[in-house]
Amino acid sequence: MALLLAGPLGCLGNLGNVDGTPSEDDPSDTPDDKPPIDEPPPQPHDIPKVSECEVEDLSTPGPRTVRRLTVDQFEATVRDLFRDPSVALPSIFNDPQVLGFTADANALVIRDLTAQQIMDWAEATADWAVTNKLDTLTSATCRTTDAACRGQFIRDFGRRAFREPLPEDRFLAYDGLFGAEGTFEDGAKVVVSAMLQSPYFLYRHEIGREAGGGIYELSPHEIASNLSYLLTGTMPDEALLQAADEAAAAGTTLSSELITQHALRILEDPSTRPLAEAEMMRFMRGWLQLNRLVTAVKDNTVFNLSDDLRKDMMSETQALIVDTAFNLNGTFANLLQADYTFINSSLATHYGLGGAGGTELTRVTLAPGQRDRGLLAHGSFLTGHGGAKLSSPTQRGKMVRTRLLCQPLEPPPPGVDPNIKPLETPATTRQMVEQHAGVEFCHACHVKTDPIGVGFEHYDTFGRWRNDENGIPVDVTGTIVEPPSGDDFNFSGVTELADYLAASDDVKACMVRYWSYYAFGDTWEQDGCTYEKVQQEASADEYRLKSVWLALTRTPHFTRRVQGP
């Protein structure tokens, strides 16, 4: 029963009726003469340049889009839809990583093989759910195939699966499927299977209805879905769905005040806050490239970096981010300058710190000379941005340049050997890197990264503090050459670097740039209007992390769209 309308994300023609015919009220169906897209467009290696904002009121939204759920969103939505964390989750999708994230709307594609896998999973899951969890799928207590009974099931499950009530034409299509079966259970299985394969389940549609002047107002349910996936990475809960139902019934939309009310509820309610914490961490891991910790290759003959220790490093960083964002309502500057951290006995031993025992993380204050303040001195960052044996000033400097200052760098020319060659006499990593990058055609690129990265040389490639290397004192003086705004900045060590970055408007703007891309999955013409609006809103509350997050919901793009190219 192949009812899935498969195709590349962003093709609005994917949103047809359950029987495969286009919806009559959808003005955006792809023309028949438009060739299918088998491959996603080339993906950027650097955050695209901001498009200029040409209007004074920052009111220009981006284009209408349809985007597939990411793997994380799909799995969370399935668990919440069936109210069961043990539901079988297939390895169907393979989300390409773009700019550190798996959220790029242009990179998420459903192909024919994927569609077959989805169909097989949907049929098996429908059989499991109806056999074992039928009472949780509907509020209906009847189990007959008459119109009223099957209709209640279709509307109940469809509303949650599609994150909006079923329009009449789609309801009738599902009702026809249900009614063709001999028993309630068989009809329910067919309907659940069909809905799990539907693009209305697998995709998030942000299309809206034309409101005049080329503007499309998103529906209350589209806004509710955007809000929920932005803050929790999963489908809207009942309270948010109910608010959207009421707005739709009244012929209105979700007001800015109501959006903020539900956003604050989600961030503060004990039942939803853990989901928000996890979603915040997903952004931070992508933006700061913390996921490199998992894949970084290390030489175990130098030090055996176990998987458990890597997990502890990531847990340390997550604990600081959650504490800063949620407990202290803090800023990214607070993350960079925190004079405390969360460690257990394994991390205490690794870092050479005291004050922690056992396997649970404990909050400890950092003493001067033990370790620099802030997130940039965490093992998660230092280890992920290091070589197999040696620290990597180039990698660490590149991260600061590209991810915190939003300054793209040209890739190295073909044929360049990136490996650092040992010197004939004992030397520090800094000395070896300076020799390696001293060649004329290397200098132009390395001058943007290495003078920053050498400021991290108190830490080896495993994030351990050192005062000397190969018997030579380490030199941690560094320079940010040609920052986006201002003169060159000279510093000594990570703490001074972190203080500079904490006060930098460039870092704040860069964070907004990446967070907007992660939230909306794309860039567009005049997207600078959206970034300016976010900065305007966030600056009113000192760029607290939650304020930046909430500012995304106050942009015109969050509730309105224009017709795309």
Side-chain angles (χ1 to χ4, degrees), residues 151-376:
Q152 186 173 356
F153 178 88
I154 293 168
R155 294 189 191 281
D156 279 358
F157 188 76
R159 172 178 174 269
R160 299 186 66 248
F162 298 154
R163 284 85 73 182
E164 63 180 357
L166 287 171
E168 192 62 19
D169 57 346
R170 254 188 287 155
F171 168 78
L172 292 175
Y174 284 113
D175 190 56
L177 291 174
F178 199 124
E181 300 299 318
T183 67
F184 183 91
E185 288 74 13
D186 287 343
K189 289 177 183 179
V190 170
V191 166
V192 171
S193 175
M195 288 183 177
L196 293 180
Q197 298 175 68
S198 169
Y200 291 96
F201 171 68
L202 296 167
Y203 288 70
R204 296 167 55 188
H205 57 91
E206 299 155 17
I207 300 175
R209 294 294 176 191
E210 190 167 11
I215 296 294
Y216 291 79
E217 298 283 354
L218 297 189
S219 73
H221 291 92
E222 288 174 321
I223 296 171
S225 184
N226 280 351
L227 182 62
S228 185
Y229 282 105
L230 171 70
L231 298 182
T232 68
T234 189
M235 60 186 282
D237 61 11
E238 183 56 34
L240 189 51
L241 267 181
Q242 184 62 40
D245 288 346
E246 293 171 359
T252 61
T253 188
L254 290 180
S255 66
S256 177
E257 293 76 15
L258 197 56
I259 292 171
T260 298
Q261 176 186 325
H262 278 278
L264 292 174
R265 173 186 63 80
I266 289 169
L267 296 180
E268 297 169 2
D269 191 292
S271 66
T272 51
R273 174 173 152 167
L275 299 174
E277 292 175 355
E279 185 60 24
M280 168 80 77
M281 192 60 187
R282 272 189 283 272
F283 164 68
M284 289 292 182
R285 286 172 68 139
W287 174 39
L288 304 177
Q289 297 182 317
L290 299 176
N291 288 324
R292 293 170 60 122
L293 170 66
V294 179
T295 57
V297 176
K298 299 296 176 180
D299 189 334
N300 288 338
T301 65
V302 178
F303 176 77
N304 184 16
L305 182 64
S306 67
D307 290 343
D308 286 342
L309 189 54
R310 293 186 199 233
K311 291 177 182 177
D312 287 341
M313 288 178 176
M314 190 66 79
S315 295
E316 173 194 14
T317 300
Q318 179 167 337
L320 181 64
I321 290 172
V322 167
D323 187 60
T324 301
F326 289 87
N327 297 335
L328 304 178
N329 194 23
T331 65
F332 185 66
N334 296 142
L335 279 177
L336 292 173
Q337 297 177 301
D339 63 355
Y340 67 97
T341 191
F342 296 86
I343 58 175
N344 56 18
S345 60
S346 295
L347 288 172
T349 299
H350 183 71
Y351 293 140
L353 301 176
T359 59
E360 298 299 317
L361 295 179
T362 301
R363 188 185 192 276
V364 297
T365 300
L366 298 170
Q370 285 184 315
R371 176 173 155 181
D372 286 288
R373 293 182 283 124
L375 184 145
L376 294 182

Side-chain angles (χ1 to χ4, degrees), residues 280 283-285 287-290 317 320-321 324-325 329-338 373-376 381 399-400 403-405 497-512 515 541-548:
M280 168 80 77
F283 164 68
M284 289 292 182
R285 286 172 68 139
W287 174 39
L288 304 177
Q289 297 182 317
L290 299 176
T317 300
L320 181 64
I321 290 172
T324 301
N329 194 23
T331 65
F332 185 66
N334 296 142
L335 279 177
L336 292 173
Q337 297 177 301
R373 293 182 283 124
L375 184 145
L376 294 182
F381 166 74
M399 182 273 175
V400 172
R403 312 301 285 201
L404 297 184
L405 296 173
L497 173 62
D499 287 343
Y500 169 84
L501 296 172
S504 169
D505 289 336
D506 296 322
V507 173
K508 296 182 182 71
C510 192
M511 174 175 61
V512 167
W515 214 333
D541 196 23
E542 301 177 340
Y543 280 91
R544 299 182 190 279
L545 291 170
K546 286 198 290 188
S547 295
V548 178

Side-chain angles (χ1 to χ4, degrees), residues 419-455:
N419 296 312
I420 304 298
K421 303 297 189 296
L423 302 181
E424 294 182 359
T425 58
T428 63
T429 300
R430 176 177 184 142
Q431 291 169 333
M432 289 185 275
V433 168
E434 289 174 342
Q435 171 111 356
H436 173 80
V439 182
E440 184 176 352
F441 69 84
C442 294
H443 177 76
C445 292
H446 280 267
V447 74
K448 297 291 184 71
T449 59
D450 297 1
I452 300 174
V454 293

Side-chain angles (χ1 to χ4, degrees), residues 126 130 479:
V130 174
T479 304

